[in-house]
């Protein structure tokens, strides 16, 4: 038998569950053969398995514990994978992965060569759409629904979207578009920001079953047919129905967008979920089901602190997360400390985040300067233009955003900030390879998409102290600037408390050598210096991708036989490309070796192992340089590795 629900909820009282029923479910067809009375036990076992699995590998926990019953109900009612389920963001799909044939591979979750922490089409036919960024599910499911109609195929298309993802404009763009189409589409709002409050109980569960039932919908269609004959009566009846629904449900907005709103219902009550979904499956048109769940459900520590257990590393479920010993500060902490220090010095500073307060290191700032802190929710486009509006009125906005998420606000960066040359500082966290989150979260394109934008200064720190100095440098400018820094800790350089700006567009020589000059950008300085010891090479810390230090490039080209650029960024369009452009503009012919990330998406896994696999550790850099030196020499050689 499975462990009873809540058996793993108290530290010191955790016992490994038995998975007698779960081990019989290798795909949703097995699940659908179970008696409904067995599903409660399956949910208990599945929740215990998720907890045990994540405790060993690390990964997303709170969100997955909250979707156990919803996942079971969806695969029990719908004919997956023929019926399409699109999971928004996808960090709540571990129960889905376990029930769709990947239970044994959960031990490899987010590890090199293992399964992804997000849905991937190449991984399973049950992963109907690859997701990891927010608010794409409704658009994708709508596309699938339209395709099914055009091809004459009868299938249901379901988008499962969280309340956080519903804050993004793209979700409403999709719903607005769907409202004008005659398609069968189900949108499930997984509302997990509130606990199961009294309104989400027996009455609302009953109403959801009633509103999704065939008798209600048949009566509604018949009354609409009759009322059409009486001018004005159909509209009056529609408004009366909306008013009555609005008294017990919050669905008026979704009704106005053209969806039939049902709910809210308890997302942990299988006896409410399954009959409601079964009823909805029979309904034509656009349906919207509001499900209320609780993050961390079933594990008390995660319920009490879902943020801390959002994405934990390995831990003992019987003990819970332990306070990590103080060590080197992460780049996010360096940014957060600088932000507070700078805010005390300049009252014009305001800080903006698109729902990434904890990840971006802004918790202390939000507590010390609440009136100058703005979390705009998952709305990257709005965040950038909001910052532009603040800058127009004399404030100094700092937008803290992950490199991969700024891609979603690129037009606003150009149109609203750069063209108007507004003083907005972009603090780009998670630049380069990020580890377990993999290809969807790697920040490997920012050099390329930023350095092409006029008026924008682009900086890449090599260590913690340089990061602080660059943040101050960018903040001091009268135009836009970006500082991109990696996830995790730096090399351990002591941080100077005073604010000191860098000379714009100026790098520095960090090691003198002969024959080979390595031009290192950002995080690659440390392995470049290590490689240079065995090569006898010169190493330059370039600091700026834009404006590039062309004087330093020209000097190194004149005094060395081979230039080597190294960056934790794609080679195509990156900092090495900028160096080649500068040499061409200067009319200098020189052998250049470009080292960086290859033209492919890099998998999830340990960042150090990933960097080594693409030759961006000290050993790989030295080997690539030796191979280049050994090749026949031609002054116009440009080599990429």
């Amino acid at each position: 038998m499975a462990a009873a629900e809540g058996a793993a909820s108290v530290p010191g009282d955790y016992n490994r569950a038995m998975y007698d029923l779960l081990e019989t479910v290798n795909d949703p067809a097995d699940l659908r053969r179970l008696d409904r009375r067995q599903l409660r036990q399956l949910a208990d076992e599945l929740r215990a398995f998720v907890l045990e699995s994540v405790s060993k590998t690390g990964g997303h926990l709170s969100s997955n514990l909250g979707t156990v019953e919803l996942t079971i109900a969806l695969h029990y009612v719908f004919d997956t994978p023929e019926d399409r389920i699109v999971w928004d963001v996808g960090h709540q799909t571990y129960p889905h992965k376990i029930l769709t044939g990947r239970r044994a591979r959960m031990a490899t979750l987010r590890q090199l060569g293992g399964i992804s922490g997000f849905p991937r089409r190449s991984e399973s036919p049950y992963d109907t759409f690859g997701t990891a960024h927010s608010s794409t599910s409704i658009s994708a499911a709508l596309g699938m629904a339209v395709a099914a109609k055009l091809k004459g195929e009868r299938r249901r298309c379901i988008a499962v979207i969280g309340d956080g993802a519903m804050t993004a404009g793209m979700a409403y763009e999709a719903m607005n578009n769907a409202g004008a189409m005659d398609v069968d589409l189900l949108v499930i709002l997984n509302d997990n920001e509130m606990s199961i409050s009294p309104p989400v109980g027996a009455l609302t569960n009953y109403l959801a079953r009633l509103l999704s039932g065939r008798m209600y919908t048949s009566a509604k269609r018949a009354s609409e047919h009759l009322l059409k004959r009486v001018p004005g009566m159909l509209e009056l009846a529609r408004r009366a129905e909306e008013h009555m629904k609005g008294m017990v449900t919050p669905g008026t907005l979704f009704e106005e967008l053209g969806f039939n709103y049902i709910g809210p219902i308890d997302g942990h009550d299988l006896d409410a979920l399954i009959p409601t979904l079964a009823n909805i499956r029979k309904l034509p048109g656009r349906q919207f089901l509001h499900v209320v769940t609780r993050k961390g459900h079933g594990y008390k520590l995660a319920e009490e602190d879902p943020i801390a257990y959002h994405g934990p590393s390995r831990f003992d479920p019987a003990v819970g997360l332990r306070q990590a010993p103080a060590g080197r500060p992460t780049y996010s902490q360096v940014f957060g400390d600088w932000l507070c220090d700078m805010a005390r010095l300049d009252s014009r500073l305001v800080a903006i985040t698109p729902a990434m307060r904890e990840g971006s290191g802004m918790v202390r700032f939000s507590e010390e300067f609440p009136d100058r802190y703005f979390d705009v929710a998952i709305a990257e486009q709005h965040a950038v233009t909001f910052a532009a509006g603040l800058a127009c009125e004399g404030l100094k906005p700092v937008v803290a955003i992950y490199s991969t998420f700024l891609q979603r606000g690129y037009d606003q960066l150009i149109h609203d900030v750069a063209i108007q040359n507004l003083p907005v500082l972009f603090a780009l966290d998670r630049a380069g390879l990020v580890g377990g989150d993999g290809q969807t979260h790697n920040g490997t394109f920012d050099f390329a998409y930023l350095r092409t934008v006029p008026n924008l200064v682009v900086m890449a720190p090599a260590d913690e102290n340089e990061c602080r100095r660059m943040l101050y440098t960018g903040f001091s400018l009268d135009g836009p600037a970006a500082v991109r820094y990696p996830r995790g800790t730096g090399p351990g350089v002591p941080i100077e408390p005073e604010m000191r700006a860098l000379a714009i567009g100026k790098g520095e020589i960090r090691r003198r050598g002969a024959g080979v000059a390595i031009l290192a950008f950002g995080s690659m300085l440390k392995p470049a210096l290590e490689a240079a010891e065995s090569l006898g090479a010169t190493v330059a810390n370039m600091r700026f991708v834009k404006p590039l230090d062309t004087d330093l490039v020209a000097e190194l080209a004149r005094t060395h036989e081979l230039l080597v650029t190294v960056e934790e960024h794609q080679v195509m369009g990156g900092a090495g490309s900028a160096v080649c452009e500068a040499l061409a503009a200067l009319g200098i012919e020189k052998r250049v070796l470009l080292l960086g990330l290859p033209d492919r998406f890099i998998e999830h896994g340990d960042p150090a192992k990933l960097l080594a696999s693409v030759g961006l550790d000290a050993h790989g850099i030295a080997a690539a340089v030796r191979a280049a030196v050994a090749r026949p020499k031609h002054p116009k050689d440009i080599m990429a590795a």
Side-chain angles (χ1 to χ4, degrees), residues 574-591:
S577 295
V579 170
C580 291
E581 292 164 11
L583 290 170
L586 293 168
I588 299 174
E589 294 185 353
K590 180 60 58 176
R591 300 180 75 224

Side-chain angles (χ1 to χ4, degrees), residues 181 235 563:
M181 293 186 179
E235 179 63 18
L563 298 186

Side-chain angles (χ1 to χ4, degrees), residues 462-481:
D463 58 53
E464 302 92 329
N465 190 56
E466 197 164 76
C467 183
R468 181 179 173 91
R469 294 188 64 187
M470 285 181 177
L471 290 165
Y472 178 67
T473 302
F475 184 80
S476 302
L477 298 176
D478 291 328

Side-chain angles (χ1 to χ4, degrees), residues 143-443:
M144 293 174 181
V146 170
K149 183 178 181 180
L150 291 174
K151 295 191 293 181
E153 298 172 347
R154 294 184 59 83
R155 66 164 56 96
R156 304 303 305 211
C157 298
I158 305 108
V160 183
I161 185 168
D163 53 343
M166 283 296 294
T167 64
M170 186 175 177
Y172 293 96
E173 292 172 19
M175 292 193 68
N176 181 61
N177 186 205
M181 293 186 179
D182 180 19
V183 294
D184 296 336
L185 175 68
L186 170 59
V187 175
I188 298 177
L189 172 61
N190 177 27
D191 182 350
N192 54 28
E193 284 301 309
M194 63 182 80
S195 59
I196 306 300
S197 53
V200 186
L203 176 60
T204 48
N205 287 342
Y206 170 74
L207 285 171
R209 291 196 295 273
L210 177 67
L211 294 174
S212 64
R214 183 171 294 178
M215 182 179 295
Y216 172 82
T217 53
S218 298
K220 181 178 178 180
R221 288 197 199 98
S223 63
E224 287 176 348
H225 178 72
L226 291 172
L227 291 171
K228 282 180 181 177
R229 301 177 182 180
V230 184
M233 286 302 294
L234 179 61
E235 179 63 18
L236 179 62
R238 186 182 68 82
R239 291 185 179 276
E241 181 192 34
E242 286 184 358
H243 178 69
M244 292 182 65
K245 277 188 176 182
M247 295 177 67
V248 292
T249 68
T252 304
L253 170 62
F254 306 113
E255 295 269 355
E256 291 294 334
L257 287 169
F259 283 74
N260 177 43
Y261 175 89
I262 299 164
I265 65 172
D266 184 344
H268 301 298
D269 184 350
L270 286 165
D271 291 331
L273 281 169
I274 290 175
T276 300
L277 287 171
N279 285 337
I280 291 174
R281 190 184 182 196
K282 302 169 188 173
L283 297 180
R286 303 166 303 277
Q287 309 297 325
F288 190 98
L289 176 62
H290 184 174
V291 174
V292 178
T293 61
R294 184 174 186 179
K295 289 181 178 178
H297 185 69
Y299 183 51
K300 185 177 180 182
L301 296 176
E303 290 180 1
E304 293 174 345
D305 194 351
I307 292 175
Y309 286 86
H310 171 71
S313 54
R314 296 180 181 88
F315 70 102
D316 182 351
V319 176
L321 299 178
R322 293 178 174 175
Q323 187 70 33
R328 298 202 305 267
T330 65
Y331 279 100
S332 300
Q333 291 170 331
V334 171
F335 165 73
D337 291 342
W338 170 84
L339 194 64
C340 292
D341 293 345
M342 194 71 238
R344 281 188 281 271
L345 296 175
D346 194 329
S347 62
R348 298 174 300 166
L349 184 149
V350 289
I352 302 159
T353 177
M356 300 305 295
R357 183 185 72 153
E358 286 77 20
S360 294
M362 300 177 73
V363 173
R364 184 159 70 93
F365 180 88
S366 69
E367 295 169 347
E368 294 184 12
F369 302 93
D371 294 338
R372 293 153 70 180
Y373 167 76
F374 301 96
D375 184 338
V376 301
I378 303 175
E380 294 87 357
Q381 293 172 292
H382 165 61
V384 176
T385 304
F386 174 55
L390 290 165
C392 284
E393 298 303 316
L395 297 181
K396 297 279 284 186
V398 179
V399 179
I401 189 169
Y402 291 5
S403 169
T404 189
F405 295 150
L406 184 57
Q407 294 161 190
R408 309 184 86 181
Y410 189 52
D411 180 64
Q412 289 69 33
L413 170 69
I414 296 172
H415 182 272
D416 301 331
V417 175
I419 287 178
Q420 302 183 92
N421 201 29
L422 293 172
V424 177
L425 174 61
F426 295 93
L428 271 59
D429 206 330
R430 269 62 168 181
L433 302 182
V434 297
D437 285 341
Q439 56 188 343
T440 55
H441 284 61
N442 288 332

Side-chain angles (χ1 to χ4, degrees), residues 542-562:
M542 296 304 294
R543 287 178 168 166
F544 290 81
V545 177
K546 183 179 182 181
L548 186 70
D549 191 343
T550 54
D551 291 338
L552 182 55
V553 171
E555 175 194 335
L556 294 173
R558 286 194 299 268
T559 56
H560 295 78
E561 295 180 5
L562 175 66

Side-chain angles (χ1 to χ4, degrees), residues 87-171:
W87 299 90
D88 209 285
V89 182
H91 63 342
Q92 77 279 41
T93 55
Y94 298 177
H96 161 80
K97 287 176 180 278
I98 294 165
L99 293 177
T100 55
R102 287 166 280 183
R103 183 179 68 251
R105 297 197 67 202
M106 287 297 290
T108 70
L109 182 74
R110 293 161 47 95
Q111 298 170 42
L112 189 60
I115 62 175
S116 171
F118 301 99
R120 293 182 68 174
R121 281 167 52 84
S122 61
E123 191 175 290
S124 169
Y126 293 93
D127 292 359
T128 61
F129 195 77
T131 55
H133 289 192
S134 160
S135 315
T136 62
S137 62
I138 304 176
S139 298
L142 176 59
M144 293 174 181
V146 170
K149 183 178 181 180
L150 291 174
K151 295 191 293 181
E153 298 172 347
R154 294 184 59 83
R155 66 164 56 96
R156 304 303 305 211
C157 298
I158 305 108
V160 183
I161 185 168
D163 53 343
M166 283 296 294
T167 64
M170 186 175 177

